[in-house]
């Protein structure tokens, strides 16, 4: 059985949890990090000396880094649509996972931390403006990709949608200005129709599930 360590409102924990739910895999999630603490306990440090969540265990294998965890789960328990065997098809998806890692996630994380996790009197306006600019550039890039693709990498749901789509919930729920991006909006609306997304990603910033997000 898969075990995931990490609090439910961590975007990086939400990625494997979303995938696990899409695949209907048996699992256990253990709350650590944030208000739960535990990242500097010897047992946790032995699994991840970086003191970060998520951590995944499957038998003797312990992994950290959310995208490595996604790739492993998809490879072992997933299907060819999510993470194809064909090298070319896989590389197209991997490209968007890497783009998410290098362009979208760092900017979105800084914006989120700067607005939600920083008290108003401690916010650095210049940094926030710069980061907001980077988020908007990345969002527009995704919008133009989505003009010709139903999903971020291809015509089907893949691992790239999980890497990119998780922080989209925060993008669309933060109190920020969003330029008109009809393709991105259509894509986000479709994600919010997925039970796995509603259950694991649409979680309030303080860790509470969004009312109505969990559907039967
Ligand atoms: N690149 C790592 C980043 C992991 C990371 O930054 N995790 C954050 C939560 S999203 C963390 O552990 N923060 C400390 C805490 O939650 O206490 C990944 O994708 O797994």
């Amino acid at each position: 059985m898969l075990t995931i360590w990490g609090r439910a409102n961590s975007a990086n924990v939400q990625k494997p949890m979303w995938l696990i739910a899409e695949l209907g895999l048996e699992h256990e999630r253990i709350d650590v990090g944030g208000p739960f603490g535990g990242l500097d306990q010897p047992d946790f440090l032995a699994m991840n000396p970086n003191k970060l969540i998520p951590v995944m265990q499957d038998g003797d294998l312990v992994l950290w880094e959310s995208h490595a965890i996604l790739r492993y789960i998809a490879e072992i328990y997933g299907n060819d649509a999510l993470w194809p065997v064909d090298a070319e098809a896989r590389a197209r998806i991997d490209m968007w996972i890497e783009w998410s890692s290098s362009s979208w996630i760092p900017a979105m994380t800084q914006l989120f931390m700067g607005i939600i996790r920083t008290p108003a009197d401690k916010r650095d306006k210049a940094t926030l403006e710069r980061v907001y600019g980077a988020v908007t550039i990345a969002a527009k890039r995704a919008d133009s990709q989505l003009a010709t693709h139903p999903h971020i990498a291809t015509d089907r749901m893949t691992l790239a949608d999980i890497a990119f789509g998780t922080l989209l919930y925060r993008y669309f729920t933060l109190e920020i200005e969003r330029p008109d991006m009809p393709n991105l909006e259509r894509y986000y609306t479709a994600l919010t129709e997925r039970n796995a997304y509603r259950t694991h990603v649409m979680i309030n910033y303080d860790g509470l599930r969004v009312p109505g997000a969990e559907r039967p």
Side-chain angles (χ1 to χ4, degrees):
M1 187 179 66
L2 292 170
T3 304
I4 301 286
W5 277 266
R7 57 190 163 85
N9 63 339
S10 147
N12 288 309
V13 172
Q14 291 170 2
K15 293 175 202 166
M17 293 309 296
W18 175 6
L19 176 60
I20 284 169
E22 290 283 350
L23 296 171
L25 303 177
E26 211 185 318
H27 68 281
E28 177 189 18
R29 186 183 60 74
I30 298 169
D31 272 323
V32 283
F36 300 99
L39 304 187
D40 46 14
Q41 292 300 307
D43 285 357
F44 188 86
L45 282 176
M47 294 192 296
N48 188 0
N50 304 305
K51 301 187 190 176
L52 292 172
I53 50 172
V55 168
M56 182 218 77
Q57 183 173 22
D58 187 22
D60 290 339
L61 179 69
V62 173
L63 287 179
W64 35 265
E65 281 298 332
S66 59
H67 296 167
I69 295 170
L70 289 182
R71 291 180 182 105
Y72 169 79
I73 295 175
E75 180 85 34
I76 302 293
Y77 302 104
N79 54 52
D80 201 58
L82 276 170
W83 191 230
V85 173
D86 176 73
E88 196 178 311
R90 182 176 284 204
R92 274 200 203 100
I93 294 161
D94 215 15
M95 183 171 74
W96 282 96
I97 297 178
E98 290 301 316
W99 174 84
S100 299
S101 291
S102 57
S103 297
W104 168 245
I105 293 171
M108 259 312 294
T109 303
Q110 279 190 68
L111 188 65
F112 178 79
M113 298 303 273
I115 295 175
I116 299 296
R117 301 278 187 245
T118 310
D121 60 330
K122 297 246 168 8
R123 285 179 202 154
D124 176 8
K125 200 162 172 274
T127 305
L128 274 183
E129 272 171 18
R130 181 180 51 73
V131 165
Y132 171 78
V135 164
T136 305
I137 288 169
K140 285 184 173 169
R141 177 72 192 88
D143 183 63
S144 55
Q145 164 74 358
L146 290 162
T148 50
H149 299 78
H151 289 268
I152 195 68
T154 120
D155 60 347
R156 299 200 282 196
M157 160 96 190
T158 70
L159 283 196
D161 294 294
I162 296 181
F164 169 65
T166 303
L167 282 175
L168 213 50
Y169 169 68
R170 292 183 181 178
Y171 180 71
F172 277 105
T173 51
L174 280 176
E175 284 184 24
I176 52 172
E177 266 182 47
R178 284 174 291 275
D180 192 29
M181 290 179 288
N183 308 303
L184 190 63
E185 281 162 31
R186 181 259 309 150
Y187 172 79
Y188 173 65
T189 302
L191 290 184
T192 67
E193 297 294 317
R194 302 184 83 93
N195 271 333
Y197 192 82
R198 298 174 75 86
T199 304
H200 293 289
V201 181
M202 294 173 70
I203 290 184
N204 278 348
Y205 307 148
D206 52 8
L208 301 172
R209 184 149 293 139
V210 175
E214 200 174 12
R215 290 194 305 207

